[in-house]
Amino acid sequence: MEELCGVGAAAPLRGDAEEPKQGSVLFLGGNEVKSSAVVKYSSAPPQAAFARLQEKTDLKLPPANWLRESAKLGPAGTTILGNNKKSKPFSSFGMAYDFIDSVGNDVDVVSDSENIKKLLKIPYSKSHVSMAVHRIGRTLLLDELDIQELFMRSSQTGDWTWLKEFYQRLIDQKWQRKKKSKEHWYQKAILSKFLYYSINGDGAAQPVPSTSKQHQEGPVSGESDEAGRASWPAPFEMPSSLSEDPGASNQGSVPLEPSYIVGHVASAHKEQNLTTLFNDGENSQGLKNDFVRNILWTFEDIHMLVGSNMPIFGGGRYPAVSLRLRDNNKPINVLTGIDYWLDNLICNVPELVMCFHVNGIVQKYEMIKTEDIPNLENSNFSTKVIKDIAQNILSFLKSNCTKEGHTYWLFKASGSDIVKLYDLTTLCEETEDKYQNPFTMPVAILLYKVACNMMLKKNQNKKHYGTIRTLLLNCLKLLDNGRHPQIIASANYMLSELFQLDEPKKEDSTDFPINGNSDESYSEEEEEMPDSDENGSYSNSSDPPDDNKAVAIIKSVGELSVPEKYKSVHRIRPSCAFPVCHGTEERCRLVLNYVLEGLKSVDSSVKKEGDLPAADPSTPIPLKYEDESTSGGSECLEKQMALFLDKMGSFQKGKHSSQSGMIPGSWQYKMKLQLILKSSKAYYVLSDAAMILQKYGRALRYIKLALQCHDTYCCLSASMLPEVLVFLCQCLTLCGDIQLMLAQNANNRAAYLEEYNYQTKEDQEILHSLHRESRCQVFAWATDLSTDLECQLSVSCKCYEAAYEILLFSNLKNQNPEQRIQVLKRMGNIRNEIGVFYMNQAAAVQTERVVSKNVSTTEQQLWKKSFSCFEEGIQNFESIDDATNAALLLCNTGRLMRICAQAHCAAEGDFKREFSPEEALYYNKAIDYYLKALRSLGKRDVHPAVWDSVNWELSTTYFTMATLQQDYAPLSRKAQEQIEKEVSEAMMKSLKYCDVDTVSARQPLCQYRAATIHHRLASMYHSCLRNQVGDEHLRKQHRVLADLHYSKAVRLFQLLKDAPCEFLRVQLERVAFAEFQMASQNSSAGKLKTLSGALDIMVKSKGAFQLVRKELVAESEQVSKDKSSAENTSPHDSSTGLNKEEVLKLLSIFESRMSFLLLQSIKLLTSTKKKIGGTNEEEAVLKTNKQVYSLLLRATANKSMTLLERIEVILNLLEQLTPSSEASNGGIQ
């Protein structure tokens, strides 16, 4: 980048964006004006020193180098000497295209320096002003609108007739073309020759022989009508794609203003038709940036991108000067002074060199500093006033040119003080087609380019999305689908890209502020607002009566000089904010709406093939609903799966076809691929959202649409990008999830079917667009809604398998380890689900089989299927080192083995039932799988819940096996001792895996299990002791073991508050065990001791009776409450679950055994007393026992007593026995 005052610096390429350097602050005439200028682009070579002409040089004679190219001029050719002062109508667009980064954001104004000067001179000048104003974001583009030249063209082409009529009716009813004077051409000619003299290398001008006088008297050679006309529509170099219109040349009879670039006239282009220029919407309209320099000029707080062609020379005290030619007889006026001052300010040129002449003869030179220009004699002006004018005009325009995409016309008639602003777009639409306005296309293209540029910035914050969206929507309003399908499709695609489909919902309202993100908010749709006279900003008053067409009016140009007379008033709502979507569905629907518009645009531009069936968007496309009776089952599914994988494999071979006849590589082809992929992603997100809401029918419909989009993408695409294949895996995985959830929620199938078959018009239209390219049936096997549970589970499994296959054959599994883990985890899970499904079916078949003793082949097939699924699932989980889930599947396999074992039980009615070898085999297999599960987990810390569950199942298996062996002892195959040994070992292993100490929800169950095991073992040893004869050592061992297990069982049952009957049963067995021991005793003392121990056991059973009493009391209270309640006439069932029959049975035995023990005790104590005389203690015991025995006999004799009363009696009697039993010598604990 070079400052203009620098020498020899290389200019950057056009479009290089660099931070502007701060210029100097100028103090002019006591008024401070801040100005800085930075060259963004320059095609000029380093400044050449100007040649000071000798006095008396005759400028009427052409120099030797006149109109010839020179090395000093550089590649820009003669343009360095300055462009035509008449601005091109689209010059600002050429600059905007080149510096797209600045448009819409940082820069307030983009324009030719001539237009800026003309605006700032409005209060000082009587000449007319006519400019086109366009708004892009916060940037205003200003272009000269030469009404007279425009109307000349109108008479030839027929365009703009509406504006000509409007102009004649409202503004200048007697319009006619004004001709340039002979003096005008004379001044132009000598200025041209003066500049050529000044760049002559040897410092002395060499005039050519004056063989022709035409250079002095008439227009410069070659300045034909063509040169003047070329300034309206055509850039200097027409794009080759644009045809010229030869019919437009040499038709005008009125002479036009010639070009200021005299050297360019020889190669001036022929006139071409305007409409041709604008029909080609896919390029930048052939609009060029023809300025020698593009400068970023900051004037006070106004940032402007200005185009300038002012010749700059070296020499003098400064490295850069501007060169001016003045007639010595005509003093400098204010307008000229402002002109010179602004030119130097814009180009950052510190000095002005003025050459004075009289009738073309050089008189003298004068050097003036830029800051001194405002104080020159006869041209005094205040720089502060110029600053105020600039700020007022900008505020006026920003306040009133509010509609993006509209063409505004700022007009001041010659000699008038009133400035008016019209909205030409609105006027045009009222009369003719909007394309009659030639600014329509350049504006649309610029809006699109600015939006594209903002989208491409990777560091772009989402806060700019609202601006981008507004730019694109306004661009679309200006375009016609038939003429510009590519831009429309692309703009719609960009709009869809603005919505982040995968962002969390909470970001919707936080990322995008509701208010606009720039200080100049703007809107694509303006509300009608009342006009305001506040601060004298603008007026729409009805006098003069014809002014009602104007958007705003400055009543007097004098107002512009008043500081802050016009303030930028925000009359528009700040609606460039990004829309807040209240949920995923709304966001996706917006995306799909834009995608559909894009697809329509693409489809409309593709020639329809004759054999293509006409699709009616109003006719819904049926979604196939398949019943299990019509589906081919798993075999059909396998075929479809094979076809699908074959098709997926064919991507490597590059097979692809488009039914609509799109050419691969064309813009339609590329755009449709992008749009289809975007719609697929939107449907995927919708499906995922429906899944979370448990709307599984809707979720399946959306994933079907997503996969249909993907199918079409596959048909069109020659190769699959890795990220597209990963996305396909995600789609198939989600489809598998949905099918699984449908299987698990079969009771809502009718509602899901209704959701599945519903379709919006938008979805139908997108499908129609897809069907132009493919049949969309590749994934039909995965997305049909079946009513068969097994089929749904199978489809779910196949979806996961397909996803995994894609990862395998596309070598993506290593690049996407997370995706691979997710798919394998789901495969393991679905195989577990299918395994459980078959296992439950087998269990159901087993329960129905009552008569037959043999296992059916159906059961065996179901076992095999279930086992196979579990095995595959275990492999899936082991391949991703998921020990926990592998353990759960091993646990389920163990459960399957137990079901197999149960199936081999003989029929219930067979009294000769024995524990079979098949049962033992399957139970042992179950134990193996449970042990593998524990080994898989390694330790409890890995997953305590699963660890505890596996331990419990293992304990249960051992317990079941031991119980069956004990209850149905296989005596035909094994000896009693062998069976007892095996039962004992199994019970002890069951105890080992039964955790009674860890506090958990399962702890009471574990305690009950352990207590039951101890009870069963004690009973077994008790039984052995009764039936065994002979080996005294073995009998003693059994006695000790029985006693040990009884005491452990009692201790555990005492911990439980809900097993009083079991506790009583154990206690009664202990009493029976004591009675059995007493029968074998001979001495009275021994028997007395045993009796005392047995009575002590009975006393310690008091806790069980207290529990029973508590439950009975609670039950009776509940019954009485129910009876007294008017609302509830039927009594509630006991909530305690107490088995009264069991209690009565145990109570009777208890009374009987207590009566027997008391009687035996009384007999023994009486006989002992007679023989040797008893102690006081024994007498007290005897007395108590007699009393209790008497009360017990009376109580048992009374048959009318209720259960509760009988328990009360027992508790009372046990209470009386307590002291005596505690005083006794001990007994069995």
Side-chain angles (χ1 to χ4, degrees), residues 534-828:
E534 186 185 350
N535 298 327
S537 58
Y538 49 87
S539 166
N540 257 8
S541 59
S542 56
D543 73 319
D546 292 334
D547 284 346
N548 60 356
K549 294 280 184 183
V551 174
I553 294 171
I554 297 173
K555 292 178 180 177
S556 169
V557 291
E559 293 178 355
L560 292 172
S561 306
V562 181
E564 297 188 8
K565 174 71 174 176
Y566 291 90
K567 290 181 180 175
S568 183
V569 287
H570 302 284
R571 299 198 303 138
I572 51 175
R573 63 185 187 280
S575 66
C576 67
F578 201 71
V580 176
C581 299
H582 302 287
T584 306
E585 183 149 6
E586 189 181 341
R587 187 164 59 240
C588 290
R589 279 289 159 204
L590 276 168
V591 168
L592 289 168
N593 183 50
Y594 292 129
V595 167
L596 177 58
E597 290 306 312
L599 287 172
K600 282 179 179 175
S601 199
V602 172
D603 291 341
S604 68
S605 71
V606 178
K607 289 181 181 177
K608 292 175 183 173
E609 295 295 321
D611 57 350
L612 203 73
D616 177 13
S618 61
T619 308
I621 293 171
L623 288 165
K624 283 179 71 181
Y625 167 66
E626 200 165 293
D627 187 272
E628 74 269 20
S629 58
T630 59
S631 67
S634 60
E635 285 177 24
C636 178
L637 198 63
E638 293 286 351
K639 279 183 188 175
Q640 287 177 315
M641 184 73 190
L643 282 170
F644 159 67
L645 291 175
D646 179 58
K647 182 180 174 67
M648 293 303 297
S650 73
F651 290 133
Q652 276 65 27
K653 299 166 196 170
K655 292 179 186 173
H656 61 280
S657 61
S658 162
Q659 292 178 10
S660 67
M662 273 197 306
I663 302 159
S666 64
W667 74 262
Q668 290 100 329
Y669 174 82
K670 291 174 183 172
M671 183 51 66
K672 191 154 190 176
L673 274 179
Q674 291 301 314
L675 289 165
I676 288 170
L677 192 59
K678 187 72 181 179
S679 61
S680 185
K681 287 177 180 174
Y683 282 128
Y684 171 83
V685 174
L686 279 170
S687 179
D688 194 43
M691 179 82 170
I692 292 163
L693 295 171
Q694 298 181 351
K695 302 282 185 184
Y696 303 124
R698 189 195 301 173
L700 187 63
R701 168 164 55 90
Y702 284 137
I703 203 66
K704 176 167 188 166
L705 287 162
L707 286 167
Q708 283 176 319
C709 291
H710 214 291
D711 182 11
T712 309
Y713 184 92
C714 297
C715 282
L716 293 175
S717 181
S719 60
M720 295 296 277
L721 296 168
E723 55 266 29
V724 176
L725 284 171
V726 169
F727 175 62
L728 177 55
C729 286
Q730 290 171 341
C731 286
L732 286 166
T733 305
L734 180 59
C735 189
D737 293 348
I738 295 163
Q739 290 283 12
L740 174 58
M741 296 317 294
L742 285 166
Q744 290 178 348
N745 295 272
N747 50 335
N748 287 336
R749 193 170 277 143
Y752 296 146
L753 180 59
E754 190 177 335
E755 289 172 9
Y756 179 71
N757 286 329
Y758 173 78
Q759 218 179 14
T760 66
K761 188 171 186 293
E762 197 175 62
D763 295 339
Q764 289 168 26
E765 289 180 338
I766 288 173
L767 263 179
H768 281 296
S769 181
L770 298 179
H771 281 141
R772 285 170 61 89
E773 314 304 335
S774 83
R775 288 178 60 245
C776 305
Q777 289 301 310
V778 171
F779 298 100
W781 58 269
T783 55
D784 285 332
L785 180 56
S786 172
T787 54
D788 179 52
L789 187 60
E790 185 180 351
C791 181
Q792 283 176 326
L793 290 170
S794 183
V795 166
S796 177
C797 187
K798 296 295 175 193
C799 285
Y800 298 138
E801 285 171 6
Y804 188 63
E805 286 295 321
I806 292 165
L807 288 175
L808 276 182
F809 71 65
S810 56
N811 298 317
L812 288 169
K813 64 175 186 174
N814 296 327
Q815 297 164 32
N816 297 273
E818 187 57 38
Q819 184 82 6
R820 173 180 168 270
I821 288 167
Q822 286 300 317
V823 172
L824 280 169
K825 195 168 271 193
R826 282 170 162 81
M827 277 168 71

Side-chain angles (χ1 to χ4, degrees), residues 162 223 245 265 353 773 982 1091 1193 1205:
W162 60 274
E223 290 180 350
D245 181 7
V265 293
V353 175
E773 314 304 335
E982 286 178 7
L1091 275 172
L1193 285 177
E1205 287 168 344

